[in-house]
Each structure stands twice: as structure tokens, then as C-alpha cells.
Amino acid sequence: MTVALCPGSFDPPTSGHLDVIRRCARLFERVVVGVVINPSKQSLFSLEERVGFLKAAVADLPQVVVRHHQGLLVDFARREGAQVLVKGLRAVSDFDSELQMAQMNQTVGGIETMFMPTSPAWSFLSSSLIREVASLGGSVAGLVPDSVAEAMKERFHE
Ligand code: PNS
């Protein structure tokens, strides 16, 4: 069975993330969506919230599970039995750092990376822009899963 790991910070998950995860679920028998904790980075949403958003958004996909990890990505992949990392690419600007990480993960962990082009509809989306728009009072409805849009409204109208 081929297991794919879709890793990220998911702070918060966007429609672009969900698009990649859903397309990945059509290709692999099991998909692990992995929330990676970066202790040196301040996050808007807690780990539990991010895992909850993702679980709700993939509840209709039995082959997809949501897990979390702190530490090296290749150790996460090994723990979950994943043979491949799947990363979305929005534009050529994503490519430099993603190529570097893919080569590092191949070298230190022997794990392959596959890149999935983001759907053009979502190529402008990033979690950081979503946070900025929502924090300044803009609507992010449709750009993020419904549970995220609700949580952002509550967070910034508090
Ligand atoms: O959603 P993001 O913030 O772009 O995800 C980045 C992530 C979590 C995939 C990356 O920071 C990562 O792989 N972190 C784990 C630490 C690690 O293994 N570093 C070496 C990677 S070459």
C-alpha cells in the first residue's frame, strides 16, 4: 500500500491545501495529512484547532487521516509508514525552497517528494495572506473550509 504524507503548518488550512489533499486522495490508498509543529514559530491557531479543522474538512474521505508531529519530517514519514511526501506548488517562486527540502529529505531520510501543481483557482492563496485579510476585517469565506472561516470571524471580532 502506498502511503502519502501531506505535511504543513496549516495555520490555517486553506481551500488550496484541501484541493491538494483531495486530489492526493484519488491517487494514493492512504493519505496522512500531517500538521507539523514549529516551536519557534508563533501560530494563530493551536495545534488542536488546526487538527480539528482538517479532520472536519476530510471527514468524507475514509482513506485520509490527520496526524501531528514535532521534529524532523522524515521521522514523521517513517512513523506513519509513508513512502512519499506530497507538496503543492503554487508558482515557480515556491520551487526553489521546495526543491531544496525535497533533496534534503531524500538525502537524510531516503524519502521521495512529489509536487502537485495547485489548481489555478487557488494559486494566489497562502495561510499568511488569509491571516492578514481576516485580521483586517476582510471576509475569507470560500477561501478556507467553513469551520476555519467561522473561527476566524470569532477570533478577530472578539
Ligand atoms: O506549511 P509550511 O509552513 O510551508 O510547511 C513547512 C514544513 C512543515 C513542511 C517544513 O517546515 C518542515 O518540513 N518542517 C519539519 C522540520 C524538518 O524536517 N526540517 C528539514 C526539512 S528539509
Side-chain angles (χ1 to χ4, degrees), residues 62-73:
Q63 70 276 47
V64 180
V65 295
V66 182
R67 301 275 189 264
H68 62 85
H69 178 76
Q70 184 170 333
L72 263 187
L73 192 57

Side-chain angles (χ1 to χ4, degrees), residues 7-11 17 34-38 41 69-75 85 87 90 97-98 100-105 108 127:
S9 309
F10 300 111
D11 186 36
H17 290 131
V35 181
V36 178
I37 307 157
N38 182 348
K41 214 161 118 183
H69 178 76
Q70 184 170 333
L72 263 187
L73 192 57
V74 294
D75 290 339
L85 303 171
K87 301 278 202 87
R90 289 165 296 194
S97 60
E98 289 296 345
Q100 220 178 352
M101 286 194 274
Q103 290 169 332
M104 181 60 90
N105 287 327
V108 300
S127 296

Side-chain angles (χ1 to χ4, degrees), residues 83-158:
Q83 301 88 347
V84 60
L85 303 171
V86 177
K87 301 278 202 87
L89 284 184
R90 289 165 296 194
V92 74
S93 50
D94 282 342
F95 186 72
D96 275 352
S97 60
E98 289 296 345
L99 178 64
Q100 220 178 352
M101 286 194 274
Q103 290 169 332
M104 181 60 90
N105 287 327
Q106 217 291 325
T107 303
V108 300
I111 184 136
E112 301 297 347
T113 297
M114 300 187 83
F115 296 124
M116 183 175 282
T118 304
S119 297
W122 308 122
S123 60
F124 63 97
L125 273 186
S126 69
S127 296
S128 57
L129 266 187
I130 290 290
R131 292 195 301 271
E132 182 173 323
V133 169
S135 69
L136 296 172
S139 168
V140 292
L143 304 179
V144 292
D146 290 346
S147 61
V148 175
E150 275 307 306
M152 296 203 95
K153 225 191 283 177
E154 273 172 32
R155 183 66 53 100
F156 292 112
H157 288 178
E158 268 165 10

